[in-house]
Amino acid sequence: MLTANPKRARLFHDESLADEDTYEPFLRLLWKGNWFIQEKSCKILSLTVSARSKVQNGADANGDASSSKKKITTIDDVLAGVVEWLCAQLKKPTHPTRSIPSTINCLSTLLKEPVVRSSFVRADGVKLLVPLISPASTQQSIQLLYETCLCVWLLSYYEPAIEYLATSRALPRLIEVVKGSTKEKVVRVVILTLRNLLSKGTFSAHMVDLGVLQIVQSLKAQAWSDEDLLDALNQLEQGLKENIKKLSSFDKYKQEVLLGHLDWSPMHKDPIFWRENINNFEENDFQILRVLITILDTSSDARTLAVACYDLSQFIQCHSAGRIIVNDLKAKERVMRLLNHENAEVTKNALLCIQRLFLGAKYASFLQA
């Protein structure tokens, strides 16, 4: 009856049942009887819980039972009991073929509830979902995949769950799914999940590394009918492009420095580059700055030496503790030696660097080359 019309679940919350404990029999049967009874009890609980009035007080699951003498199962009791049973099924299925699909189906309904998200994360449920995110071929497995991804999408609105997702293999698995799926509803829910995760922690950088931009552009070239999917693809593409722009400039700079060959590419004299990336120089105990200083000793290329001196002067200028850091790394003596270099470009930039070292940020603005 409920499968044919889920709205019938509202009948469980009719005022005439205010004094009845409508949840308790199904909650009890979750742990008793055969699999058929357990599965149907879980399904009925999921539908009836979802059908309740959201303005209803959490203390009384079945309406205003204040006049009732008997103890009535609260909504918190119900949700805690159901989440416990669902996690138990994911860990150790009691039915070889039905446990997982039924569990995921109920979860995809219940995770709309903030309380269930919280309980599910506390029960370490997120890591139980991740292995189920894998490309599917049969109709049955496609539905399971869709509902699993739907669960992940619902969890992507909950910060503690996002932390779990970040430390698992959820992202590469989601990307594998979207690369191999032709089912629009699967693609849609994965793309909506990626869009939600884009601004969280290091997800954006990982998406760039895993080639999500190319996948998104390939998906945009296909004919999709779902407007939400098209909007999400556009937002994801724009966000990834912005991130690549932000990442690539400093990554490109790092690569140039680590290779030990510097040239006057635009970023060296771009004030925006220095302003936006100055804190990135602090990574790995100022690794790039240390390499830059080492170049002053090891390189014989005049252009490389000139650019290295200029970049050091820019670091001194832009970083709040630039002078102190560069002095602590013993750069001054190395730059001083270059004041006598035969190449005018080298001596000019070495002098600029020394002036900024001695004068500091207060007067450095007068020394723009």
Side-chain angles (χ1 to χ4, degrees):
M1 286 166 62
L2 292 176
T3 302
N5 184 359
K7 289 181 181 178
R8 289 172 177 157
R10 292 175 189 168
L11 296 170
F12 281 82
H13 306 285
D14 190 81
E15 286 182 11
S16 63
L17 296 173
D19 291 338
E20 298 298 325
D21 198 339
T22 51
Y23 291 134
E24 193 277 333
F26 302 110
L27 198 58
R28 181 164 34 86
L29 290 170
L30 270 182
W31 302 95
K32 294 179 179 178
N34 60 29
W35 168 252
F36 180 89
I37 292 172
Q38 290 180 0
E39 182 183 35
K40 300 310 173 204
S41 297
C42 185
K43 186 69 179 170
I44 291 166
L45 280 170
S46 299
L47 291 168
T48 52
V49 162
S50 299
R52 81 189 190 285
S53 169
K54 295 302 186 286
V55 297
Q56 198 172 298
N57 191 315
D60 297 311
N62 308 290
D64 183 9
S66 55
S67 61
S68 174
K69 298 288 184 186
K70 59 186 176 183
K71 176 176 166 55
I72 293 219
T73 309
T74 68
I75 190 65
D76 288 344
D77 293 336
V78 177
L79 295 176
V82 173
V83 168
E84 184 187 356
W85 185 82
L86 292 170
C87 287
Q89 289 299 313
L90 287 174
K91 285 175 188 170
K92 195 175 179 182
T94 54
H95 190 280
T97 58
R98 290 297 311 147
S99 278
I100 299 298
S102 295
T103 298
I104 295 298
N105 178 263
C106 290
L107 267 174
S108 66
T109 300
L110 288 171
L111 281 169
K112 294 168 188 170
E113 306 271 347
V115 180
V116 174
R117 293 176 197 170
S118 173
S119 302
F120 189 67
V121 169
R122 283 202 307 273
D124 219 8
V126 179
K127 72 177 185 184
L128 302 173
L129 285 179
V130 176
L132 301 175
I133 308 169
S134 58
S137 52
T138 66
Q139 194 58 43
Q140 187 181 10
S141 61
I142 287 170
Q143 185 61 23
L144 174 60
L145 173 61
Y146 167 69
E147 289 176 353
T148 303
C149 293
L150 187 59
C151 290
V152 176
W153 173 65
L154 290 166
L155 288 167
S156 72
Y157 287 95
Y158 184 56
E159 287 294 334
I162 291 169
E163 291 170 20
Y164 272 78
L165 292 171
T167 56
S168 70
R169 283 194 47 78
L171 183 61
R173 283 177 170 271
L174 286 168
I175 292 165
E176 281 305 307
V177 165
V178 84
K179 275 165 68 176
S181 183
T182 54
K183 205 76 175 170
E184 185 165 332
K185 67 178 184 179
V186 174
V187 173
R188 176 182 182 273
V189 76
V190 172
I191 292 297
L192 290 172
T193 305
L194 295 180
R195 184 193 62 184
N196 284 358
L197 296 175
L198 184 65
S199 61
K200 308 293 183 182
T202 58
F203 275 108
S204 183
H206 289 161
M207 286 184 205
V208 171
D209 291 341
L210 292 166
V212 174
L213 180 60
Q214 291 81 358
I215 296 166
V216 167
Q217 289 170 337
S218 172
L219 288 170
K220 280 185 70 178
Q222 298 176 38
W224 304 106
S225 58
D226 190 305
E227 286 189 12
D228 285 345
L229 172 55
L230 294 169
D231 286 345
L233 285 168
N234 286 328
Q235 289 169 23
L236 199 50
E237 181 183 37
Q238 185 181 350
L240 288 167
K241 279 181 175 176
E242 286 171 6
N243 195 264
I244 286 170
K245 189 177 176 183
K246 195 168 80 175
L247 283 174
S248 63
S249 57
F250 192 69
D251 282 351
K252 190 177 174 185
Y253 179 81
K254 271 170 67 174
Q255 189 177 14
E256 202 177 303
V257 172
L258 293 171
L259 288 171
H261 186 77
L262 306 177
D263 206 345
W264 290 116
S265 51
M267 59 189 158
H268 294 280
K269 294 197 174 186
D270 179 6
I272 297 170
F273 168 80
W274 288 97
R275 189 167 61 246
E276 290 182 350
N277 292 289
I278 195 66
N279 291 330
N280 292 333
F281 281 85
E282 297 177 10
E283 290 174 4
N284 300 320
D285 194 25
F286 296 95
Q287 179 200 19
I288 294 302
L289 194 65
R290 291 171 186 276
V291 175
L292 206 55
I293 293 166
T294 304
I295 285 172
L296 299 178
D297 275 340
T298 57
S299 180
S300 57
D301 179 65
R303 178 63 56 85
T304 295
L305 291 170
V307 176
C309 286
Y310 180 81
D311 285 1
L312 276 176
S313 74
Q314 286 292 86
F315 178 80
I316 295 162
Q317 170 95 337
C318 299
H319 196 285
S320 56
R323 289 175 70 206
I324 298 165
I325 294 162
V326 170
N327 272 318
D328 285 350
L329 294 175
K330 309 286 188 262
K332 187 172 73 176
E333 296 79 6
R334 295 169 188 182
V335 178
M336 292 277 279
R337 285 199 292 270
L338 294 174
L339 290 172
N340 298 319
H341 197 277
E342 58 189 19
N343 183 281
E345 190 181 27
V346 175
T347 55
K348 173 187 167 186
N349 286 287
L351 181 61
L352 176 67
C353 186
I354 290 298
Q355 286 171 324
R356 285 182 174 169
L357 258 177
F358 281 110
L359 291 172
K362 187 176 177 183
Y363 302 102
S365 59
F366 297 106
L367 299 169
Q368 293 294 342

